[in-house]
Amino acid sequence: MPEPRAIAWEESVLERLAPAVAYPATPNLLPAVRQRLSEQSPASRRENAVLRRVAVAAVVFLVAFGLTLIVSRETREAVADFLGLGVAGERIEQLPTPAPGVTPTALPTPPRLDDIARRITLEQAAQRLGFAIAKPAGQREPTAVYTLNAPADTVVILRYTGFDLWEFATDQGFILKKQIGGSSLTETTVNGAPAYWIGGGTRVLSFVDASGSEVAGTQRSTVGSALLWSRNGRYYRVEGVVDLESAKRIAETVQ
């Protein structure tokens, strides 16, 4: 591409991006740059043209990505959710929206907890977790304690009247993946730690390993609302509470 056209294209791209970026006033460097270019050899000019095109492409990408993240809170949260940022041990993805006129695939009926987990004692649960069990303050002892059949017996569930409390260590080489469709998703905090509130709706759960592959036998559907967060290498989830504020009151007493 001839040099004048390359310069004109780069200038037009930067001029379109300039209104979206706050930057301090700078001197007009174009005359000096053009003078230096005219003094360079043809080979040097070709090399500089390539470097400028690469640099401009990088600027375009970075600015576009930055603008995407700051357009709205919803956009920022969607990116974080898709990448699984914020809560260790958890990844949230959006299920694809069916095309107009296409009936969405029916999800399987959520199984009973007794079908995917087995009952154990509090003492056994502490041994499997490898650390002291966290409990919500002001609650009686759980009515039942479970450990999942898969991916390992190190995922513990405490059943209370009206909700379940899940917990496991986040350094075991697997994470819990959620695929949500019609559920509402809200970014919040629990005692200052990043947290997500999933406001009901049927969704698909599965555990995936460090390579991103689904662990066999762990996929299932679930309904109801859930508040999830992580702290000090431990993952927690309060499931079954109807509203966010009630779930946060329980979560913020877990210790």
Side-chain angles (χ1 to χ4, degrees), residues 88-216:
E90 178 83 21
R91 188 172 83 200
I92 303 174
E93 299 177 356
Q94 291 283 349
L95 286 170
T97 302
V102 176
T103 303
T105 302
L107 296 176
T109 302
R112 298 181 309 118
L113 187 56
D114 288 285
D115 294 332
I116 60 172
R118 62 186 182 279
R119 295 197 180 204
I120 58 175
T121 65
L122 279 172
E123 292 73 18
Q124 290 172 326
Q127 292 174 357
R128 284 165 168 76
L129 284 175
F131 51 79
I133 293 178
K135 302 177 186 177
Q139 297 284 336
R140 297 181 178 180
E141 290 296 290
T143 59
V145 182
Y146 293 85
T147 182
L148 285 184
N149 296 330
D153 62 358
T154 52
V155 178
V156 169
I157 305 162
L158 307 182
R159 171 148 286 180
Y160 292 91
T161 302
F163 69 93
D164 292 339
L165 173 62
W166 291 51
E167 49 190 287
F168 61 83
T170 60
D171 61 354
Q172 302 182 72
F174 60 76
I175 63 172
L176 181 57
K177 181 177 75 173
K178 282 189 177 69
Q179 294 176 294
I180 64 175
S183 306
S184 63
L185 184 66
T186 303
E187 184 179 6
T188 183
T189 60
V190 172
N191 289 328
Y196 291 113
W197 167 252
I198 302 177
T202 304
R203 52 198 181 274
V204 178
L205 305 180
S206 61
F207 283 89
V208 296
D209 60 24
S211 67
S213 301
E214 183 177 302
V215 179

Side-chain angles (χ1 to χ4, degrees), residues 221-244:
S221 62
T222 187
V223 295
S225 301
L227 176 64
L228 47 107
W229 74 102
S230 60
R231 183 181 68 239
N232 299 330
R234 306 176 188 181
Y235 168 92
Y236 302 98
R237 183 164 100 241
V238 170
E239 188 171 89
V241 181
V242 175
D243 62 276
L244 172 57

